[in-house]
Structures are given as structure tokens and as C-alpha cells.
Amino acid sequence: MASQTPSWQEKAKAKRDSVNSLIPEAWRLRSAPPSAEEQRDVTGEYLWQYLSEREVDITESNAVDIVKHASTGDWTAEEITKAFCHRASLAHQLVNCLHEIFFHAAIEDARKLDDYFAKHKTPIGPLHGLPISLKDQFHVRGVETTMGYVGWIGTFQGKKGTGREKVYESELVRELRELGAILYCKTSVPHTLMTGETVNNIIGYTWNPKNRNLASGGSSGGEGALIGLKGSPLGFGTDIGGSIRIPAAFNGLYGIRPSAGRMPYEGMANSMDGQNTVLSVVGPLSSTAGGLRLVMKSLLSQQPWLHDPLVLEIPWRDEHEKEISDLIRSSTQGEGKLCFGVLENDGVVTPQPPVQRAMKIVTETLEKLGHKVINWSPPAHDRGNKIALTTWTYDGGADIQRAFALSGEPMADQVKPSYGNATQNQLNASEIAATNIAKREYQKEYMDYWNSTEKYTGTGRPVDAVVAPVAPFPAARPKSYKYYGYSAIVNLLDYTSCVIPVTTADQKVDVMSKDFKPLGDMDRKTFELYDAEVYDGAHVAVQLIGRRLQEEKVLALAEYIGERLAGSSAGTKTSEKL
């Protein structure tokens, strides 16, 4: 009798169980985690109860410090790797953040690094001994890339018999290994990658570890949750509409969306591959801006433009950082200042009270430091975002529908509004060309506006960067992320943007004004979602936006602002209603 083909539910469960079985018995929780009502926040001290004092010391360290310890022999790569594998295991059991586990391979790689150090008394590279997690778009030998699709299980991007299954590696993966990094897990994504929440039929929903009523973000939501729980010191995600910045903001992290062509994307899985109007880009997330700089500078030392035809030949430019450092230094001496544009409202959706307060904290901090802030009034973001959204449906959802058809699995509710239950009308060549023209014209209009601000800054330069919300809320409530305008506009413009964590939501302070009047239907819906008690304790962040290919400058400014926020009363609550 012929064997029956497993259902998509059976395939999903088998995959889920196989991944969970790779967690060592000693690291498994003895009972089910408490509910969100019983324990909203599972970060910090809550998680420490399952770790040794040594493991806490290691995993609470940032990426830069970990490399210092590993590169001097203070810590072995093996003990660092085991500590993060343990903490990542706990993180997954608490919030569902891992797609692939390859701890044994990672520990073997770590031992090889230790052997090299013992023999040569020097690190193998600038990332020696640094554990790095990867979004499940990166191909890594020995494990699958499902990208959240049940139909991709046991295949290479949905295809069988390619010869690439479990042996092919993405270009960035190869470079990270060359630099001495330890790769040990791949993190959860929403199937399609096209939503700000992370959910799929294999692992379920990835929750926000700081406030488990809320989403961890998407589409790099597994990265955000894992790094937020310090189960990883640093990881890589991708961003086509906010997918690095959203999880970074929701989890209290730094995360940079570089301009297209700065980091290698070669050999990665993707949705709607070939849509080139608004490119998805690779970027890191970490607990510090210094960690982002460390990995980007290290990767560029590998000359990725020789291995990825879309990477621009732009090495790390120390002189761009120095330019900012000199401006900051002169401002402290009363000889100069920086000027920042501030976008408090994009004219479509009003940020909720915690985000308004975070914006106010940053603005007031900059002013106290002697810098100037001006209102940012660019070309209408609504018009730009409509162009961006058009690019996401060029093919009418055909690519996505094919992936779902492989298994017959249902589409998550979060994705249905964009892609429905069947392929829609595809744009023709003329319509795509018209969209490209509209994008270029909008970019030019925005560029001219940015240049025009030189008249108002008082510095002899246009604004140095723009401070803006990442999303209208601290983090999304499940099935409620409907507006991406604050993040997607950056992708259309191809600007550099870095998230800066600012504060946490406080139900006693972040009260919606009784005088609030919605700007429109989407604003009204966002207002109705706000519940100060539900959001209480959630991370709140902003993004710092620079011009195209200004990664060095933006990171220098983000680090400067972040350090000043941490050293000031940034977390102090005010009683003012917003």
C-alpha cells in the first residue's frame, strides 16, 4: 500500500520537533513558561535564574567586549559559544525565535579558533570568537533555509534535487567565517517576509520578550527577540520596508538599514527576487552602535564588491567618522554645532504617546547639548509610500502564492491584506517603468528639500540627520500592524537609518490626550489600538536617518546620541499628557 503524503500540519510539526530536539536536555525548561499575564518581561534577571554566574557575565557583554576578551585569550571561543547557545535555547523556549539550531557545529568551530589562538597567540580575524545569529534567509551548510514556508522544508528554496541543499552558503556567511565569527543558529521570520510581525505555520508566533503582549517585530523578528534576550550579542537581518529597524526598535536595540550596495546580499533566499525598484538590504542588529560598526567595518575589509556584483566598491571610510567626531568636539567647545531635522508626525498617522515622549526626550537632549533642531517638512510621505507599496505587488503575489501552494498551508492573517488568497493582476513593463520614474522624481524632490535646509540650520550645511519614529507604536499588538509609513519611506529613498533605543512605555505617564483628533481613518485605527496598560514596559525607540550611503556618519551620530541619552535623564518620566 502506497504511503500517504504527510499533511502540511504534519510536516510543520515534524520540523518544529526536530529543531526543538536539538536543545540539549540540560538546557530544557522543566515546566511550561509562565503566561504573559504572570510574567510579562522575561529579559534580564528573569532569564538569569537558568544560567550560571559565568554564563551571565559572558552573555551580558556586548559584541565589542566579547571580541576583546576572545582576542586576548581571557575567554575561550568555546566557553563564549556554549554560553550563548545555552541562552539562545532558553530564549527560544520563552518566545519562539529560532528556525535552525547548529550548536554542535558551532562548538567545533569554536574549538578550532581556540586551537589557532593557542598555536599563534593571535586572533584569526577581527570577529574572533564572536557568536553571530542569522535571519533565516541566509544559507548555512548543514541546515535548511525554510524562510517560514512549510513547502520549503527538505528543499533548496522550494526546489528539490538542486545539489545545493544543506551545502550552499551565502556570501556574507562565508565572509563572517573568514573573519572569525561563530555561527550557531538561524532565527524566525514571517512567511513571505512581508509583515512587521513574525508568524509562520512552523514555529507559530514570536513574542516580544520585554512585553509578551506584543510582537517582536518583523520580518527580522527572531533576531530582535533573540538579541533582546541576549541569546545573541549581534545578528544580521534584512530590510525592505523596515524589517531591521522595526525589530530593533521593538526590542530596545541598535539596528542599521544601510543603503543598497553597501553589504553583500549575494546567495540569500528572498521573496519576490528580481524586484529591483526597492531592494532589500542586509544589516546588523546589536545592543550597541559599536557592535554595528565592528561588523560592518570587518565585512568591508573582505572587499565584498569582488564577490557580489551589486556591492559598491566603498571601503569603510574612517574620515567620515572623524568629520562627525570633529563637529561634536567643536560643539562642546562652543565653536560649532550640529543640526537635526525632527519629524514628529508624517501627516498620516500620529505616533502614540510613548513614541511622542521618546521623540521629545531625544529633541530636548540634543538641544541641551547645544545643537539645533528644526521641523522636518519634506515632500508628502504618503505619496512616497504609495510608490513603495506598489513595488511589493509587481507580480500580483505570484511568487508568494507559489510558495504556499507547495504545501497547501494557509497564509497568516497578517499577510492576507496584501496578497489575498490568489494571484492578483501583475503590473506590465510600462507600469513598472512608470513606477521607477515616479520613484526617481520623488527621490530628487526629497533631495532638493534636504539641500534647501541649509538656509535654516545656521551651520552652513543642510541638516546632518533626521530624527523620526520607526513605527507609530512602541511595538505592535498581534494582528494590528497596519501602517508602515515611518519605516518604508526610508527604503524608497534608499537612505541610511539607524535605530536608537530611548526609553520604555509607562502607563502612568503615556496617556492619550482627550483632545486628540485623528488625521484620517488609519490614524483613528491606530488611536483605538492604544492601551497604556497593555504597552506598559515596552521598549521605545527612534530612528536617525542620514542620506544615501552615509553609514559611517549615521553610526557615529547614533552612538553619540545613544551615549548621551544613556548618561542623561532619558528614562525619566514626565507627567505631561501627550
Side-chain angles (χ1 to χ4, degrees), residues 447-488:
M447 176 186 288
D448 289 344
Y449 170 73
W450 195 307
N451 291 338
S452 75
T453 61
E454 182 180 349
K455 296 178 291 187
Y456 312 108
T457 61
T459 64
R461 306 181 307 275
V463 296
D464 294 292
V466 176
V467 180
V470 178
F473 26 67
R477 298 177 70 171
K479 299 185 180 182
S480 299
Y481 205 141
K482 306 298 183 183
Y483 184 68
Y484 296 89
Y486 285 102
S487 57

Side-chain angles (χ1 to χ4, degrees), residues 167-181:
V167 295
Y168 180 79
E169 292 204 317
S170 305
E171 173 59 25
L172 188 138
V173 171
R174 183 193 68 79
E175 294 181 11
L176 289 174
R177 292 191 190 279
E178 290 287 326
L179 292 161

Side-chain angles (χ1 to χ4, degrees), residues 273-286:
D273 195 15
Q275 180 281 109
N276 291 337
T277 302
V278 177
L279 289 171
S280 177
V281 299
V282 171
L285 302 84
S286 192

Side-chain angles (χ1 to χ4, degrees), residues 40 56 58 71 92 106 236 278 338 388 449 476:
R40 177 176 294 197
V56 171
I58 290 171
S71 297
H92 179 57
F236 278 89
V278 177
L338 297 163
Y449 170 73

Side-chain angles (χ1 to χ4, degrees), residues 117 122 131 133 154 166 170 196 220 249 282 298 309 406 455 460 464 469 472 480 493 520 531 536 540 544 546:
F117 188 88
T122 188
S133 51
K166 294 188 177 182
S170 305
S220 310
V282 171
S298 298
L406 291 171
K455 296 178 291 187
D464 294 292
S480 299
L493 295 165
D531 183 321
D536 191 50
V540 195
L544 186 72

Side-chain angles (χ1 to χ4, degrees), residues 121-198:
K121 306 302 181 185
T122 188
I124 202 167
L127 301 182
H128 184 97
L130 179 65
I132 290 181
S133 51
L134 299 169
K135 183 179 185 177
D136 192 24
Q137 285 181 260
F138 294 89
H139 293 296
V140 178
R141 64 174 179 255
V143 294
E144 294 182 329
T145 301
T146 67
M147 219 168 71
Y149 288 123
V150 175
W152 281 24
I153 296 170
T155 74
F156 182 82
Q157 298 181 188
K159 297 179 181 179
K160 295 183 178 180
T162 67
R164 292 184 164 191
E165 292 87 344
K166 294 188 177 182
V167 295
Y168 180 79
E169 292 204 317
S170 305
E171 173 59 25
L172 188 138
V173 171
R174 183 193 68 79
E175 294 181 11
L176 289 174
R177 292 191 190 279
E178 290 287 326
L179 292 161
I182 302 291
L183 310 177
Y184 64 112
C185 64
K186 292 205 294 178
T187 53
S188 57
V189 301
H191 53 211
T192 77
L193 308 177
M194 303 304 291
T195 177
E197 302 174 54
T198 293

